[in-house]
């Protein structure tokens, strides 16, 4: 009422005292005050910091228990000179691109151990920043390599709504620069990309991820051109992915971490993580990750009151008795790509139903322990990488089938099934109560399906420049033939192509029946040769074998071979057919056999096409894969 009284003195009342005028003025002020209060209260529900540290979607998410853990000791108070925006805002918000960059700039400017570089610009013109943390203050890949220490690359925000890694990394950088964690850099280097999908990060909204508890505002899942970067590693269409691959080739990290937040079922684990499988392309790396890395990281997380677990996917989100799945990812995903190129790659999937604060602190603990583990076991990690790079397996598996895995004891959450009055279907109601699901069945795509013999090399005609450029982007070594070469090669021809019914990640995907023949041929000068006896030889095979799950053929880089451009008129093919039958008795017998098929016999167009396809006028390159496989 004091504010109302103050405001009333400024109202233009009549010059003559009038009680009615005063009353009317006060009533108008009360109404105005009520309106303003209503607006403020309404706006508060959309404020940056939710009341009582809750999120607007809490009411529609499963219940949770309040979490407190030893990792909370990693937080600093508001009066700390290097408090992060995450800590300043009571652990419920994450800074935007500008705030993040400004905070990092200030930190880097004051620390001799930190440098900041751009790995490239986004489609909307934003720099994708990377922080280099080293004891020597290296500012380039060449300088970093001279310290002969292992290097860890941590990437946050490939899905920018899943931003835990950014805030955890900022805290860790702070503590390594000016806190108690400076010794972490004694025997290891850190490369930190706080936001990979920077444009999507700025498409921020509190409604972007309804199934996730914070931060208040979250970025978008896909890029500004609506590409999902964690489906783009193999085809590398997005500018952001192209910059990342160039950075990996330039900086040559020894271990790569991709930080995400998962969704799906409810469970007790707050930090889950996975990597390649033993049956894949990097078995030595798998052994190091499984036997050295995982035990140490899980021990650190547990000691800080987090619950670590394996990367988890339910076979049926509404029936836990059907078990969980073990994932052997293809190269379109970060951890599948790492397997193919023999780069130890860890996919972190924090649990989306756990609060933002808990997830950020769990990520911090995992990143800190990663640096310790890599520093302490760098020699065995390097040896594992070299073993896989030099393995050059004579048989390469292109596709995988599911098979049973050893059972898991699963730390889940109890639930009940109810009939929904909204949808009319059965729905899961998680009740927040911990429940151990003992000996759950597990399936995984670890059984080899389609396999091919490793070729000595691939030969790509120079005109397929987009394919050649893509191989170079991945860092695959290629050479150009300076003179014609006679070789024995295997050639693929396709039949029955099946194109995707809709574009997938901006591509028209394709699969086809494959027919293989061996030929003696002369390779023209200017042809590109891709040897498979190189560190990235397995990746080259998986990109150039048409049947591989993420081959460049599958992603539509060769779709023009399915276009038939030349043709023959009926008036020309008919006399040609008469001539062909007269001159070739075996062809005549083949045609008579074909006529036994009633459908063919009654289709005049098919009969004429039959002769055209066997004539010297037909396009010999139609549906023929232009990439040859060199064989011994």
């Amino acid at each position: 009422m004091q504010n109302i009284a103050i405001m009333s003195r400024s109202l233009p009342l009549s010059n003559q005292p009038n009680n009615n005028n005063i009353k009317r003025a006060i009533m108008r002020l009360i109404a105005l005050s009520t309106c303003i209060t209503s607006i403020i209260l309404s706006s508060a529900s959309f404020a940056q910091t939710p009341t009582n540290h809750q999120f607007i979607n809490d009411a529609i998410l499963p219940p949770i228990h309040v979490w407190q853990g030893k990792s909370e000791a990693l937080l600093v108070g508001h009066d700390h000179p290097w408090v992060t925006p995450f800590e300043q805002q009571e652990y419920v918000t994450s800074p935007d691109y500008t705030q993040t960059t400004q905070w990092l700039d200030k930190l880097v400017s004051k620390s001799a151990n930190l440098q900041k570089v751009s790995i490239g610009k986004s489609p909307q013109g934003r720099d994708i920043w990377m922080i280099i943390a080293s004891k020597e203050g290296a500012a380039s890949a060449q300088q970093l390599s001279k310290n002969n220490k292992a290097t860890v690359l941590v990437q946050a925000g490939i899905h920018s709504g899943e931003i835990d890694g950014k805030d955890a990394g900022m805290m860790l950088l702070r503590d390594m620069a000016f806190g108690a964690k400076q010794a972490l850099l004694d025997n290891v280097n850190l490369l930190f990309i706080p936001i990979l999908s920077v444009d999507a990060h700025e498409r921020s909204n509190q409604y972007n991820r309804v199934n996730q508890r914070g931060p208040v505002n979250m970025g978008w899942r896909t890029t500004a051109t609506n590409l999902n970067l964690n489906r783009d590693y193999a085809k590398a269409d997005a500018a952001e992915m192209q910059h990342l691959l160039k950075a990996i080739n330039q900086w040559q990290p020894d271990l790569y971490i991709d930080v995400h937040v998962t969704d799906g079922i409810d469970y007790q684990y707050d930090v889950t993580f996975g990597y390649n499988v033993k049956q894949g392309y990097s078995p030595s790396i798998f052994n190091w990750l499984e036997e050295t890395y995982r035990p140490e990281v899980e021990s650190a997380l547990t000691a800080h009151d987090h619950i670590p677990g394996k990367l988890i996917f339910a076979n049926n989100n509404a029936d836990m008795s059907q078990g969980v799945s073990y994932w052997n990812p293809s190269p379109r995903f970060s951890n599948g790509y790492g397997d193919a190129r023999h780069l130890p790659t860890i996919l972190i999937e924090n649990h989306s139903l756990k609060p933002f604060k808990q997830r950020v602190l769990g990520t911090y603990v995992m990143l800190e322990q990663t640096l310790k583990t890599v520093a302490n076991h760098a020699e065995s990690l390097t040896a594992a990488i070299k073993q896989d790079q030099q393995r050059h397996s004579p048989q390469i598996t292109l596709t995988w089938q599911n098979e049973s895995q050893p059972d898991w004891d699963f730390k889940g959450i109890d639930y009940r099934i109810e009939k929904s009055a909204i949808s009319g279907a059965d729905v899961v109601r998680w009740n927040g109560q911990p429940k151990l699901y003992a000996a759950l069945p597990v399936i995984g795509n670890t059984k080899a399906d389609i396999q091919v013999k490793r070729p000595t090399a691939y030969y790509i005609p120079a005109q397929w420049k987009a394919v050649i450029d893509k191989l170079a982007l991945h860092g695959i070594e290629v050479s150009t033939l300076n003179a014609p070469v006679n070789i024995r090669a295997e050639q693929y021809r396709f039949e029955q192509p099946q194109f995707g019914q809709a574009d997938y990640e901006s591509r028209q995907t394709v699969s086809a029946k494959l027919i293989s023949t061996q030929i003696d041929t002369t390779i023209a000068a200017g042809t590109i040769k891709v040897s498979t006896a190189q560190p990235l030889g397995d990746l080259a095979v998986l990109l150039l074998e048409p049947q591989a799950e993420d081959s460049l053929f599958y992603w539509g880089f060769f779709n023009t071979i399915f276009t038939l451009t030349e043709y023959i008129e009926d008036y020309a093919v008919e006399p040609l057919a008469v001539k062909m039958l007269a001159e070739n008795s075996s062809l005549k017998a083949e045609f008579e056999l074909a006529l036994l098929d009633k459908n063919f016999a009654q289709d005049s167009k098919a009969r004429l096409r039959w002769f055209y396809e066997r004539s010297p006028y037909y396009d010999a390159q139609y549906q023929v894969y232009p990439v040859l496989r060199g064989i011994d």
Side-chain angles (χ1 to χ4, degrees), residues 533-548:
Q534 60 170 296
L536 297 182
D538 287 353
L539 179 60
V541 172
L542 295 175
L543 292 175
L544 293 175
E545 284 295 329
Q547 298 177 95

Side-chain angles (χ1 to χ4, degrees), residues 69-85:
K70 292 186 178 65
S71 60
E72 290 178 300
L74 300 168
L75 300 166
V76 301
H78 290 186
D79 57 346
H80 192 282
W82 294 106
V83 61
T84 65

Side-chain angles (χ1 to χ4, degrees), residues 150-434:
T151 297
V152 175
L153 169 60
V154 175
Q155 162 197 292
I158 189 171
H159 293 155
S160 62
E162 307 165 24
I163 204 61
D164 304 4
K166 178 188 71 179
D167 297 282
M170 292 168 71
M171 290 174 59
L172 182 59
L173 286 176
R174 179 261 318 282
D175 295 340
M176 290 193 300
F178 300 113
K181 306 295 175 66
Q182 296 182 44
L184 285 175
L185 293 176
D186 287 350
N187 296 299
V188 69
N189 308 311
L190 172 65
L191 304 174
F192 175 57
I193 301 174
I195 314 166
L196 180 62
S197 189
V198 289
D199 295 342
H201 185 275
E202 296 309 281
R203 186 181 171 182
S204 182
N205 193 287
Q206 58 188 324
Y207 299 108
N208 280 355
R209 284 180 63 82
V210 66
N211 58 301
Q212 183 175 304
R213 279 192 166 94
V216 172
N217 280 0
M218 292 173 269
W220 197 248
R221 182 175 179 83
T222 52
T223 69
T225 55
N226 210 34
L227 288 175
N228 187 335
L229 291 179
N230 203 28
R231 306 295 184 273
D232 197 42
Y233 279 85
K235 61 184 177 68
D237 283 336
E240 297 91 337
M241 181 56 62
Q242 293 169 10
H243 297 321
L244 175 64
L245 296 182
K246 290 176 183 177
I248 289 174
N249 290 323
Q250 179 182 1
W251 294 84
Q252 291 293 310
D254 299 280
L255 188 140
Y256 172 36
I257 292 182
D258 179 22
V259 187
H260 289 250
V261 181
T262 191
D263 45 30
I265 62 173
D266 199 0
Y267 45 71
Q268 299 173 49
Y269 310 103
D270 55 353
V271 181
T272 69
F273 61 98
Y275 31 80
N276 60 296
V277 301
K278 187 176 184 66
Q279 297 87 342
Y281 312 107
S282 301
S284 297
I285 289 173
F286 169 84
N287 288 337
W288 188 90
L289 292 170
E290 189 77 358
E291 298 169 8
T292 300
Y293 181 83
R294 182 175 287 279
E296 293 191 5
V297 168
E298 289 192 341
S299 177
L301 285 165
T302 302
H304 285 82
D305 298 320
H306 295 276
I307 305 178
K310 297 178 181 179
L311 194 59
I312 296 163
F313 303 95
N315 294 327
N316 184 336
N317 286 359
D319 185 1
M320 289 306 302
S321 68
Q322 294 187 28
V324 294
S325 60
Y326 181 54
W327 187 35
N328 180 13
S330 71
R332 76 186 65 171
F333 303 99
S334 61
N335 46 336
Y337 181 74
D339 185 24
R341 70 174 291 149
H342 314 305
L343 169 60
T345 301
I346 293 135
L347 174 65
I348 297 178
E349 287 281 8
N350 294 325
H351 190 213
S352 63
L353 295 178
K354 303 300 186 289
F356 185 47
K357 172 185 175 183
Q358 181 179 353
R359 303 195 319 260
V360 169
L361 292 177
T363 306
Y364 181 113
V365 172
M366 184 164 180
L367 298 185
E368 178 187 359
Q369 185 57 50
T370 294
L371 295 179
K372 293 178 179 178
T373 298
V374 170
N376 293 334
H377 303 282
E379 187 175 343
S380 60
L381 173 60
T382 301
I385 294 170
K386 287 184 178 179
Q387 287 172 9
D388 289 330
Q389 288 177 339
Q390 298 171 3
R391 188 176 305 277
H392 300 159
S393 174
Q395 287 287 119
I396 301 290
T397 301
L398 304 180
T399 61
W400 305 84
Q401 293 179 344
N402 280 334
E403 61 181 347
S404 295
Q405 312 287 330
D407 292 346
W408 289 358
D409 289 337
F410 179 72
K411 295 179 181 179
I413 297 294
D414 201 3
Y415 66 94
R416 68 183 186 277
I417 302 295
E418 290 183 356
K419 181 71 70 175
S420 169
I422 303 299
S423 68
D426 289 340
V427 294
V428 171
R429 303 293 187 203
W430 306 99
N431 61 24
Q433 298 304 311

